[in-house]
Amino acid sequence: MKLKVLIILVLVIAALAVGIVFSNTTDAVFFDSVPWVTIAAAGLGFVLGIARALLKGKEKISYGEVNRHGTGSFLEHWGTALGIFALLASAILLGFLFFPSIMKNLDTTAFPLNIHFIGVVIALFGGFFFVGDYIATRKFDRLLPNIPDIFGGLLGKYFLRRKWSSEDKYLSSQKVAFLGFALFGGVLLISGAVKVAAHIRPINADYWAFFTVLHDLFSLLFIFLLIVHVLLVLGLREWPALASWITGKVTEERAEEDYPVWHKELKTGKRRGYKLLGYKEGSEVEE
Ligand code: HEM
Ligand code: HEM
């Protein structure tokens, strides 16, 4: 796992680095010259994500360790995150709301605009790889929170210090964060798509202004959520979860203690009978 993770990391960072160098050495604005690459990246990611879901192995406990993340999960989380970091950095250079633009004229704006484009391409590839995998795996409740997750697993556990013993593979608080990322990311995607469309053909100025305000407001919300996400990981000292992104594993002891519902599922091969989406009681368990 470690070597495969390293290869993926080098490839994604290399794609970003090539993009940055290319952005700096061309007069072209990528949103104008090759807008179709954004759609191609999303489509390719989606198809590969479905293939991953069909090919991936089963989660299992062996020699006191549990397989938690495959290389594909690493690409989904960290590939998308790297693209988003490029989006955020370029967003701040471009300027929005109370972030002043540090770009003085059109010439100097082309560079951050092109970095935004590279960020869109990488984030869409990683994000849609995740979406394809997630849909084809059909284990929606793994990451989507339900009402008890919100009241018991987030508000009760952290704010009222109540005991919460229904943690699944992902903590209830992580599921709520996932919902936030999905909603905010979805609005950024739709408003961003309208702004990409404006580079292909002229659109109504009022629409453009509306989607720009939406894009900017949700950029801010997204930044806020990301800061909370990172602070929670650091504050709750989730070092084993952080390390598992690289090693792919957690100890069985840790799985039993922190993720009891998931551990039980791995032991019995049976999934808790969620009525909502995806699962049938006793269905086979795959990663
Ligand atoms: C974390 C995600 C994102 C953040 C924080 C973000 C932020 C921003 C900001 C601050 C700007 C400059 C101000 C403005 O014109 O509104 C901008 C411009 C833009 N963004 Fe995003 N964005 C994100 C994702 C996306 C996505 C996914 C797309 C495409 C689907 C996209 C497409 C664009 C386009 C086309 C522009 C306009 C460039 C121009 O013509 O001026 N963005 N974005
Ligand atoms: C834009 C950037 C990021 C996004 C959108 C994001 C999103 C998510 C989401 C949705 C999850 C739930 C599980 C999953 O979907 O794979 C998650 C888990 C996690 N994230 Fe992030 N994340 C980002 C950056 C970071 C950073 C910078 C850190 C480092 C502190 C981090 C550390 C973690 C950890 C430790 C987990 C839990 C893994 C586990 O339980 O095994 N994330 N993240």
Side-chain angles (χ1 to χ4, degrees), residues 68-69 77-78 81 84 170 174 181 226 229-230 242 244-245:
R68 185 165 175 80
H69 298 297
H77 183 270
W78 291 103
I84 292 174
Y170 293 104
Q174 287 172 335
F181 279 128
L226 181 58
H229 178 58
V230 173
L242 199 54
S244 75
W245 280 127

Side-chain angles (χ1 to χ4, degrees), residues 31 84 87-88 90-92 94-97 99 113 116-117 119-120 124 183-197 199 207-223:
F31 280 121
I84 292 174
L87 282 168
L88 293 177
S90 54
I92 290 170
L94 285 165
F96 68 106
L97 300 178
F99 290 100
L113 215 51
H116 206 65
F117 178 88
V120 170
L124 286 188
L183 290 176
F184 295 172
V187 176
L188 282 166
L189 176 66
I190 293 167
S191 52
V194 174
K195 286 158 81 63
V196 175
H199 280 264
Y207 282 149
W208 189 87
F210 171 75
F211 282 105
T212 294
V213 171
L214 211 60
H215 204 65
D216 294 1
L217 279 178
F218 277 81
S219 297
L220 196 66
L221 290 174
F222 197 96
I223 291 173

Side-chain angles (χ1 to χ4, degrees), residues 68-69 73-74 76-78 80-85 88 130 134 142-143 168-171 173-182 222 225-226 229-234 238-245 249-250 259 262:
R68 185 165 175 80
H69 298 297
S73 327
F74 180 85
E76 285 166 11
H77 183 270
W78 291 103
T80 311
L82 198 75
I84 292 174
F85 293 145
L88 293 177
F130 164 78
Y134 187 56
R142 269 255 157 107
L143 272 167
D168 201 342
K169 177 171 178 181
Y170 293 104
L171 302 179
S173 55
Q174 287 172 335
K175 294 185 184 183
V176 177
F178 165 74
L179 187 62
F181 279 128
F222 197 96
L225 190 62
L226 181 58
H229 178 58
V230 173
L231 286 182
L232 275 180
V233 170
L234 303 182
E238 286 188 43
W239 313 132
L242 199 54
S244 75
W245 280 127
K249 296 182 167 121
V250 287
Y259 318 105
W262 181 50

